[in-house]
Amino acid sequence: MSNQTTVTEFLLLGFSDVRELQILHFIVFLVLYLAALTGNLLIIIAIALDYHLHTPMYFFLMSLSILDLGSISVTIPKSMANSLMNTRSISYSGCVTQVFFFIFFAETDFVLLTIMAYDRYVAICKPLHYETIMNRRACVQMAASAWISVILYSSLYTGYTFSITFCGGNMVDQFFCEIPQLLKLACSNSYFSEVGVIAFGVCLTLSCFVFIIVTYVQILTTVLRIPSEQGRHKTFSTCLPHLIVISMFLSTAVFAHMKPISSSPSALDLVVAVLYSVLPPVMNPIIYSMRNKEIKASLRKLTGWRLFNKN
């Protein structure tokens, strides 16, 4: 289908028309952005420089931090720039870029969390075969497969999204180019072009979700068979940060996309969007660094901060 839209730019939703509140929004987003950048960069640098952390689990954790950096960099900077310059516009190409990279980072994040669940399953349920199954080549192949498959999916999804005809104007009721809000602007007969790609995305996400559930059921079964309480606690504690991250990722994303889309912008829509697009990249480094002794030890050597002490 040829792109018949005459839209050359979109207008994003501002947090406020009051100048002082616009500056406040800029400052809050700047603090969140710097926190996410600092936390994820510290984890990346710590894992890259510490030879003891060159294991499959930390390889995937470093990949997750890279994705978090990309994810938060897709949406927040443009919103901050708009508030600072008192504008709301984003170019058509800029909106296309946001949609592509947001889908890419979000879906790759979820696929990577699925791979990390498999890594924990092998480590706990098949410890004698761990080094054979999770060798360096296998880890690189799994990570590369995730990135390549999601690039193809993101390209298809973005292409179909912007092949529709926009009949509802160019006002996007969100602080970034969120797909549900873009589809509100589409002509009614354009929704059918999205069905196939959306169905594929739902199948991909559902498959990952089912795999994670099945994997952790088997992990929990194995942990409960460990005779000592201390052994059970120590083994399961290695999975706890991963479970927290998965729960946070799924709860915010599912709520954001399952709730009905309101006909007019609401504070709830903005809060939910911030929760699933900003909160995970900010919180993931905190969750992993606070619950992981190896990460804390590496960060303590790297920075000398008392924050990362043994207690």
Side-chain angles (χ1 to χ4, degrees):
M1 180 184 296
S2 61
N3 193 340
Q4 303 174 20
T5 180
T6 57
V7 174
T8 58
E9 68 174 12
F10 293 94
L11 296 179
L12 300 176
L13 182 66
F15 279 79
S16 175
D17 293 326
V18 180
R19 188 57 183 159
E20 288 77 9
L21 293 179
Q22 290 176 343
I23 299 299
L24 178 62
H25 158 241
F26 170 81
I27 294 173
V28 171
F29 265 30
L30 178 62
V31 170
L32 291 174
Y33 188 54
L34 291 177
L37 288 181
T38 302
N40 284 291
L41 282 174
L42 281 174
I43 287 183
I44 292 170
I45 294 171
I47 294 175
L49 296 183
D50 193 336
Y51 178 77
H52 297 93
L53 300 183
H54 291 182
T55 63
M57 182 177 74
Y58 293 110
F59 168 75
F60 293 127
L61 178 56
M62 183 171 67
S63 299
L64 184 66
S65 291
I66 293 173
L67 289 172
D68 285 340
L69 283 178
S71 176
I72 200 168
S73 297
V74 169
T75 56
I76 279 192
K78 179 59 179 176
S79 182
M80 289 193 304
N82 281 357
S83 290
L84 192 62
M85 296 185 292
N86 193 23
T87 183
R88 299 167 60 188
S89 65
I90 182 172
S91 66
Y92 186 89
S93 60
C95 193
V96 172
T97 302
Q98 269 198 349
V99 168
F100 173 83
F101 281 107
F102 188 78
I103 296 172
F104 170 73
F105 287 120
E107 287 293 336
T108 309
D109 206 319
F110 192 39
V111 174
L112 191 63
L113 288 173
T114 306
I115 296 173
M116 292 172 74
Y118 177 70
D119 172 73
R120 292 298 82 207
Y121 162 77
V122 176
I124 294 173
C125 300
K126 298 183 178 181
L128 298 179
H129 302 284
Y130 182 77
E131 292 187 3
T132 303
I133 297 174
M134 301 300 295
N135 57 66
R136 177 172 297 184
R137 182 179 179 183
C139 292
V140 172
Q141 286 178 341
M142 284 189 285
S145 297
W147 286 63
I148 293 172
S149 60
V150 177
I151 284 177
L152 296 174
Y153 170 68
S154 302
S155 300
L156 284 173
Y157 206 150
T158 305
Y160 274 104
T161 299
F162 288 94
S163 69
I164 63 178
T165 304
F166 295 103
C167 301
N170 66 340
M171 176 69 71
V172 179
D173 293 331
Q174 195 51 269
F175 69 92
F176 65 99
C177 287
E178 189 183 44
I179 289 179
Q181 299 297 334
L182 287 171
L183 293 181
K184 283 172 53 178
L185 308 178
C187 301
S188 58
N189 60 354
S190 298
Y191 283 103
F192 294 103
S193 63
E194 291 281 306
V195 173
V197 181
I198 292 176
F200 177 78
V202 170
C203 290
L204 176 64
T205 304
L206 187 60
S207 299
C208 291
F209 177 71
V210 171
F211 182 86
I212 290 172
I213 295 298
V214 172
T215 298
Y216 269 101
V217 167
Q218 296 185 57
I219 289 175
L220 183 60
T221 302
T222 302
V223 170
L224 292 176
R225 291 175 183 170
I226 298 176
S228 68
E229 182 178 349
Q230 184 179 2
R232 290 196 298 269
H233 175 75
K234 182 178 180 181
T235 303
F236 192 73
S237 65
T238 63
C239 301
L240 188 59
H242 185 240
L243 281 172
I244 295 173
V245 169
I246 290 176
S247 301
M248 182 173 60
F249 181 89
L250 285 177
S251 60
T252 55
V254 169
F255 180 75
H257 290 88
M258 292 299 291
K259 71 178 182 64
I261 301 176
S262 56
S263 57
S264 58
S266 66
L268 178 61
D269 292 332
L270 282 173
V271 170
V272 170
V274 169
L275 285 178
Y276 81 83
S277 64
V278 177
L279 185 63
V282 174
M283 293 301 299
N284 286 356
I286 298 174
I287 293 170
Y288 277 108
S289 63
M290 293 296 103
R291 294 291 309 179
N292 190 294
K293 293 182 179 180
E294 288 79 11
I295 289 287
K296 286 195 291 185
S298 181
L299 289 173
R300 190 168 60 250
K301 288 189 294 183
L302 181 66
T303 64
W305 292 353
R306 293 184 178 180
L307 174 64
F308 303 106
N309 54 34
K310 295 183 179 180
N311 297 325

